[in-house]
Amino acid sequence: MDTDTELSDSWWQQVKYYAQLAMERIENGVHAVKELLSTLTVDERLGVILKFEDASPEKFAQLVTDAPQWTEWMA
């Protein structure tokens, strides 16, 4: 059993789940997305943003437009 692969798959599944939540929360405003991201690790935040941008470019563009300071949330 390759535990590194299992951990990687598990981590990626979590990131995809959080990205889906972020995409849903954008409807409630950028503050809701910021709140979600604040509960995640830096690595998870980066993964969520990458998946968010890839899965829903329109909603990601909305986030960037509504909150140009979003990159500050990544720190």
Side-chain angles (χ1 to χ4, degrees):
M1 189 178 339
D2 188 350
T3 57
D4 288 340
T5 301
E6 288 177 13
L7 290 175
S8 178
D9 288 345
S10 173
W11 180 86
W12 186 239
Q13 290 302 319
Q14 281 185 292
V15 165
K16 291 193 301 187
Y17 171 73
Y18 294 138
Q20 182 62 41
L21 288 178
M23 288 183 273
E24 292 169 5
R25 287 185 176 207
I26 193 70
E27 302 302 324
N28 297 323
V30 295
H31 180 71
V33 176
K34 181 179 180 181
E35 184 178 287
L36 171 67
L37 293 175
S38 73
T39 67
L40 307 177
T41 67
V42 172
D43 288 342
E44 288 170 333
R45 279 182 241 156
L46 181 58
V48 166
I49 290 299
L50 291 173
K51 183 63 181 170
F52 187 165
E53 182 179 18
D54 184 51
S56 185
E58 309 81 27
K59 287 185 179 183
F60 185 77
Q62 179 184 347
L63 172 69
V64 171
T65 299
D66 293 349
Q69 75 283 7
W70 72 270
T71 56
E72 296 170 10
W73 307 343
M74 303 308 288

